[in-house]
Amino acid sequence: MKSKNMILTAMLMALPSALMAQQNIEKAFEALLNEKNVEIKTQHSLERDPETGKKTAQADVYDFVVSSPTGLTRIKAVQKAFEKDKEAAYQYRTVSHPGSDYMSLAVGDGKSQSVAIGKIKGSDYIYACFLDKDDPEKKYRYAYAIEWAEKDKKTQVRLAITYATTQKYRQSGNNIRRVIINGNEIDVDGQSISFGNGLPFDMNSVFGVDSVFLNREMSSESWLSKFNTYKNLFLKNPDGAAASYYATQIYGLCKNVDKMDEVEKKLVKSEILKLYIETTDEFIRKLFNMSIERLDK
């Protein structure tokens, strides 16, 4: 990974000196990547405004496996670095989960590119967002994330750094709609869904700007991704207040399956049958039956 490490080192050195807020994270990332890790995949992208030369989007992603004692120590050091820098972050989160749900870090304006965090089975992850101190409009931010999962004395790791507009800026051009489910108010727009508890699924998450809420035609891949998101959210609490909402969204998806082939429809039907078994609510079961009927058309 030596050449890739040089890229990261150069990138970190190029960051404005004002970006001292995340200096512990930056140093810990560099130290971990300088270990003799088994490289799996790396991704790098950079976009600039052609007129001003100002950076508008950037993503640097590293996937690898760590097995050496020093490497494992470096992972712990990265976790501690996030803890040290979190007071300077405007958004900070740690998540432990079985890998069935994930979020995505926006890149640029978030419309065409993002970096998934949380897809490794059984992983934990941490991410933090920091405003670009050289941006007087406070329009752009840097996001840092580490995801890791231990198995058989080896740890699979993903490190990511992205540069994008802030969630607040991305949301400013959208009309927010509200729905009420069992007395719980939900804010919904093309980029976010919040349950009023401070834990939104936003454009830094699994919902993209081509969300079903915008009624835009989507590819089969996007369709399946959204279905899997609603499915997993439903399974978290099949009898909860939001269960009917997720079931309704699944039904809405099933009304728009023009881009789906028969193999994909068959897969979705089998997953809906699993959801059907998990609930005793007759209304939700009817929605699932109607969803299957739509897939059969």
Side-chain angles (χ1 to χ4, degrees):
M1 294 181 65
K2 186 174 180 180
S3 62
K4 304 300 182 184
N5 295 345
M6 292 175 65
I7 293 175
L8 178 66
T9 301
M11 185 195 76
L12 295 178
M13 290 178 65
L15 292 177
S17 58
L19 285 176
M20 299 301 289
Q22 57 266 41
Q23 62 178 338
N24 292 300
I25 295 174
E26 292 170 3
K27 291 177 181 178
F29 271 30
E30 184 177 358
L32 176 55
L33 288 170
N34 280 328
E35 289 294 321
K36 294 181 179 179
N37 305 311
V38 178
E39 182 178 340
I40 300 176
K41 183 174 66 175
T42 62
Q43 304 171 57
H44 302 282
S45 66
L46 175 65
E47 296 178 16
R48 296 183 183 278
D49 185 305
E51 295 184 359
T52 65
K54 176 178 172 57
K55 180 166 61 178
T56 57
Q58 184 171 352
D60 294 272
V61 186
Y62 302 82
D63 293 288
F64 52 94
V65 174
V66 175
S67 58
S68 67
T70 54
L72 296 175
T73 300
R74 297 292 188 192
I75 294 175
K76 297 293 185 183
V78 172
Q79 297 170 32
K80 291 179 180 179
F82 272 94
E83 184 69 22
K84 291 178 181 178
D85 288 343
K86 72 176 184 179
E87 292 303 320
Y90 72 83
Q91 189 174 52
Y92 173 84
R93 192 166 301 159
T94 62
V95 179
S96 297
H97 60 85
S100 59
D101 302 320
Y102 67 95
M103 52 81 68
S104 295
L105 299 174
V107 178
D109 60 12
K111 294 182 179 180
S112 61
Q113 188 180 1
S114 62
V115 176
I117 300 294
K119 281 192 168 183
I120 302 173
K121 186 176 181 180
S123 69
D124 298 330
Y125 65 82
I126 306 172
Y127 77 90
C129 297
F130 303 84
L131 287 174
D132 180 352
K133 301 299 184 182
D134 276 9
D135 177 18
E137 299 179 59
K138 296 183 179 180
K139 174 180 173 182
Y140 286 92
R141 62 92 176 117
Y142 286 91
Y144 296 77
I146 179 173
E147 177 183 5
W148 71 97
E150 299 178 14
K151 184 178 180 181
D152 300 329
K153 297 182 180 181
K154 294 182 179 180
T155 301
Q156 187 175 344
V157 180
R158 163 165 280 203
L159 294 182
I161 303 174
T162 73
Y163 186 75
T165 52
T166 64
Q167 177 190 340
K168 181 179 179 180
Y169 181 85
R170 293 194 301 275
Q171 289 180 341
S172 62
N174 293 287
N175 293 322
I176 297 177
R177 294 183 287 162
R178 298 178 187 272
V179 296
I180 306 294
I181 298 177
N182 289 358
N184 296 314
E185 187 176 82
I186 299 177
D187 291 342
V188 179
D189 63 25
Q191 293 188 345
S192 72
I193 172 171
S194 175
F195 291 86
N197 59 1
L199 296 174
F201 298 95
D202 57 2
M203 241 325 280
N204 297 326
S205 80
V206 293
F207 295 95
V209 292
D210 62 339
S211 166
V212 291
F213 302 125
L214 296 183
N215 296 317
R216 295 179 181 173
E217 187 174 74
M218 67 187 81
S219 66
S220 61
E221 290 81 5
S222 295
W223 196 105
L224 290 169
S225 177
K226 286 179 172 59
F227 170 81
N228 195 49
T229 296
Y230 291 129
K231 180 198 74 174
N232 289 327
L233 290 170
F234 177 87
L235 289 174
K236 280 188 172 182
N237 192 355
D239 298 316
S244 61
Y245 175 78
Y246 299 132
T248 302
Q249 295 307 311
I250 288 173
Y251 174 64
L253 284 173
C254 292
K255 292 169 65 177
N256 180 22
V257 292
D258 293 342
K259 296 293 184 178
M260 305 284 286
D261 62 32
E262 290 305 312
V263 174
E264 291 167 336
K265 289 180 181 179
K266 184 177 180 180
L267 169 64
V268 172
K269 283 189 286 186
S270 67
E271 293 300 311
I272 291 176
L273 288 173
K274 294 177 184 178
L275 299 180
Y276 183 96
I277 296 172
E278 292 297 321
T279 183
T280 57
D281 187 292
E282 286 301 314
F283 175 75
I284 293 177
R285 285 192 165 189
K286 287 178 181 178
L287 281 176
F288 287 150
N289 282 331
M290 291 164 62
S291 298
I292 292 174
E293 290 173 2
R294 291 281 183 170
L295 289 166
D296 285 332
K297 290 183 178 182

